[in-house]
Amino acid sequence: TVLTQSPGTLSLSPGERATLSCRASQSVSSSYIAWYQQKPGQAPRLLIYGASSRATGIPDRFSGSGSATDYTLTISGLETEDSAVYYCQQYGTSLWTFGQGTKVEIK
Amino acid sequence: EVQLVEYGGTFVQPGGSLRLSCAASGFTFNTYNFIWVRRAPGKGLEWVSHISASGGSTHYADSVKGRFTISRDNAKNSVFLQISSLRAEDTAVYYCAREDPRGWYFFDYWGQGTLVTVSS
């Protein structure tokens, strides 16, 4: 299963809403969709699992949604610290795959 | 506190071999599955290899099958990745990560990574 993330780069101002898309080449169980944040020089950090459940300690401005082949990560009220690359990940017949990432830049 | 620390990355020539280690602490190590994931320069994340809690089940990405071997030592709270026949395209930061035990196949804690550079 190939995961295609869009857009490649998102440039927004603080306080705006970011909408990140992750499209799967075939249907994926929503239970097996996760989102991660990675900042330069840091390890990936789990944000969302099961498509919509926030991981421990993740602010509620991060939310996930979707089903079948289309999944979305929304960041409501962007903060400067949200500048990072965001990856979706799935588990299925091809075991684990990650999307290529969406870079979020804060103006 | 959960901690994962990778080490062993270095500069190596094409065709060479290397062993990466991931030392874990702060949780009951032998009840968790682990994965190695890499990030090549300018690219996204790619899963490399996965091992079950007992070590009895392993999986490999097609890109490394036959060249990489994952293992673990539950007595030493460590996961290993033996990598051989290295190619330039194996240059990457290698991360180990712990799989959440609920069977949803995501990874809740990650190490800081160790850099492998393959070049002549």
Side-chain angles (χ1 to χ4, degrees), chain A residues 43-78:
Chain A
R45 174 193 182 196
L46 175 68
L47 296 176
I48 300 287
Y49 64 92
S52 61
S53 297
R54 268 187 303 277
T56 302
I58 301 303
D60 60 7
R61 65 179 182 275
F62 291 91
S63 63
S65 64
S67 63
T69 59
D70 290 294
Y71 295 90
T72 300
L73 175 70
T74 301
I75 312 172
S76 304
L78 274 168

Side-chain angles (χ1 to χ4, degrees), chain A residues 36 38 43 49 87 89 91 96, chain B residues 39 47 50 95 105 107 111:
Chain A
Y36 302 87
Q38 188 174 31
Y49 64 92
Y87 296 95
Q89 172 241 311
Y91 174 83
W96 298 270
Chain B
R39 184 177 182 184
W47 86 273
H50 179 273
Y95 301 96
Y105 303 101
F107 305 94

Side-chain angles (χ1 to χ4, degrees), chain B residues 9-78:
Chain B
T10 189
F11 182 97
V12 62
Q13 293 188 330
S17 299
L18 206 54
R19 188 198 203 200
L20 306 182
S21 301
C22 173
S25 60
F27 61 98
T28 306
F29 179 80
N30 62 9
T31 63
Y32 287 85
N33 302 337
F34 283 85
I35 196 169
W36 284 94
V37 173
R38 66 185 180 184
R39 184 177 182 184
K43 297 197 173 180
L45 300 174
E46 178 191 19
W47 86 273
V48 171
S49 185
H50 179 273
I51 190 166
S52 64
S54 67
S57 175
T58 58
H59 299 281
Y60 298 92
D62 287 344
S63 58
V64 306
K65 204 170 289 184
R67 300 188 300 121
F68 289 18
T69 302
I70 192 170
S71 62
R72 63 189 294 160
D73 184 336
N74 284 347
K76 295 183 177 179
N77 287 2
S78 294

Side-chain angles (χ1 to χ4, degrees), chain A residues 37-45 80-87 103-105, chain B residues 39 93 95 112:
Chain A
Q37 175 194 66
Q38 188 174 31
K39 298 181 180 180
Q42 296 187 18
R45 174 193 182 196
T80 54
E81 65 190 40
D82 298 332
S83 179
V85 179
Y86 293 83
Y87 296 95
K103 184 176 183 179
V104 173
E105 297 178 340
Chain B
R39 184 177 182 184
V93 177
Y95 301 96
Q112 291 294 313

